[in-house]
Amino acid sequence: MSLDTDTVRRLRDGMAGGVLSFPLTSFHDDGSLDVDGFRAHVAAQIATAPGAVFPACGTGEFFSLDEDEYRQVVTVAVEEAGGRVPVVAGIGYGWAQAVRFARIAEEAGADALLVLPHYLVAAPQDGLVAQVEQIAARTSLPLIAYQRGQVAFTAASLRRIADIPNVVGLKDGHSDLDRLQRLTLAAPEGFLFFNGASTAEIQARAYATVGVPAYSSAVHAFAPEIANAFFGALRDGDDKKVERLLRDFYVPLVELRDRVPGYAVSLVKAAARLRGRPVGPVRAPLTDPSATDLADLKTLLTTGLDLVGASL
C-alpha cells in the first residue's frame, strides 16, 4: 500500500502541538449507543484543539462495540472533526476481524488506524509482526501499532514493521524506558512514537528523555482545561506547575484509579458525567464507581480544576 504522507505530516504536527484525545463512547442508561451524546462529546473535545482524535479505542470501549455501532462512532468523529484534526480509529482482535473494522473505518473517512493489542493469546515476535503485516496488506490507511499487555516488540521486530510502507508509528503502553529507547534508536527517521501509558502525564517527563514527548491524555476526555494546562507547562519548562499538577491532581487520580480494575475507563466516564457531559455509563464487564469513590473523584476533580483556574 502507498503511504499517505499528508496524514503522517498532520499527525506529526498534531502530536507536537497538543495532547491526543481519546473520546468516550456515549451510552444510554439501558446500554444502547447514544449517538447524539457522542456527537456532543466529541465536538466539545475537538473544540479544545487536541493534536488528533482517536475514537473507538480503549477509553472509547472499543471492545464493547459491535460493527454497526463502531461505524456510527467513527462516522460521527469524522463529521465533527471536519478535517480540522486527524481522526485515528481503533481496530483490534485477530487480524481477520481487525481488517473488518479497518474497512469500516476507511469507508467512514478515518485518516489512520490504531492497531490495538490482539485478543487473549501470547505470541512470539514473528507472530506479532505477522499480525501487523496481515492488516497493513488489507488497508490503504496509515497504521500505528499499539504495544501493551501481550504485545511488546523487540528492536528487530520494530524494524520489520517499520519497513511496511503504511505502518507509521508506535503507541507504547509498557513504560519500559530501556526497551523504548532501544525501539526509538532502531526506528527509521520520522517514525512516530507516543506515550500511551495509563494517565500518561505521570510519566510524560520520563518519556520525553528518551525522545518521546507526545502522549495521549485520558484526562482530556473530562477536563481538557487540566490536560492542556499540563501540556503547556511541560512544553514551556514550567517545572513548578508540572509538579504541582502531578502532586495535587494526577498522582491522587492514579491512586483512585488503582482501587478497582477497569477504573482507567470507569473513572474517566464518571468524571465526565460530573461535568455534565452526555457520556452515560460504562458497559459490562466494566462497572461504574461506587458512591464513595465517586465522592472522592468529585473532590479531586474540583481541586484539579481549581489549580488551573476552572470550575466544575
Side-chain angles (χ1 to χ4, degrees), residues 77-197:
V78 170
E79 290 173 350
E80 292 303 318
R84 289 175 289 169
V85 296
V87 175
V88 185
I91 61 172
Y93 305 115
W95 67 259
Q97 185 63 50
V99 167
R100 291 175 64 93
F101 282 105
R103 289 172 179 158
I104 293 170
E106 189 164 1
E107 291 167 1
D111 297 294
L113 303 169
L114 178 67
V115 183
L116 302 170
H118 64 270
Y119 172 69
L120 190 61
V121 296
Q125 290 295 310
D126 283 348
L128 298 181
V129 172
Q131 165 86 345
V132 179
E133 289 174 335
Q134 293 287 350
I135 298 169
R138 291 166 172 81
T139 181
S140 64
L141 294 181
L143 300 179
I144 298 171
Y146 185 7
Q147 63 168 19
R148 190 184 187 94
Q150 68 270 36
V151 177
F153 294 103
T154 63
S157 296
L158 189 280
R159 284 191 290 268
R160 290 171 65 187
I161 67 169
D163 282 341
I164 303 169
N166 55 330
V167 176
V168 302
L170 180 76
K171 178 184 180 183
D172 176 71
H174 284 295
S175 305
D176 181 339
L177 297 184
D178 179 280
R179 175 188 289 267
L180 185 58
Q181 182 71 90
R182 295 169 190 265
L183 296 181
T184 61
L185 293 173
E189 184 178 358
F191 198 73
L192 305 176
F193 286 90
F194 68 95
N195 166 7

Side-chain angles (χ1 to χ4, degrees), residues 4-5 28 48 63 75 84 91 94 112 129 171 183 193 220 253 274 280 283:
D4 183 347
T5 55
H28 295 291
T48 62
F63 54 84
T75 297
R84 289 175 289 169
I91 61 172
V129 172
K171 178 184 180 183
L183 296 181
F193 286 90
H220 190 274
L253 179 65
L274 285 171
R283 274 183 174 173

Side-chain angles (χ1 to χ4, degrees), residues 290-305:
S290 67
T292 297
D293 292 344
L294 190 61
D296 290 345
L297 176 63
K298 185 174 183 179
T299 298
L300 178 58
L301 180 55
T302 301
T303 297
L305 290 168

Side-chain angles (χ1 to χ4, degrees), residues 222-255:
F222 64 86
E225 305 97 324
I226 299 173
N228 288 339
F230 183 90
F231 180 87
L234 191 66
R235 177 196 57 209
D236 298 340
D238 187 344
D239 289 338
K240 288 185 177 180
K241 187 170 185 178
V242 167
E243 289 168 7
R244 184 167 63 251
L245 286 167
L246 287 173
R247 181 179 56 252
D248 295 341
F249 175 74
Y250 283 101
V251 169
L253 179 65
V254 169
E255 292 171 350

Side-chain angles (χ1 to χ4, degrees), residues 65 271 307:
L65 300 176
L307 288 171

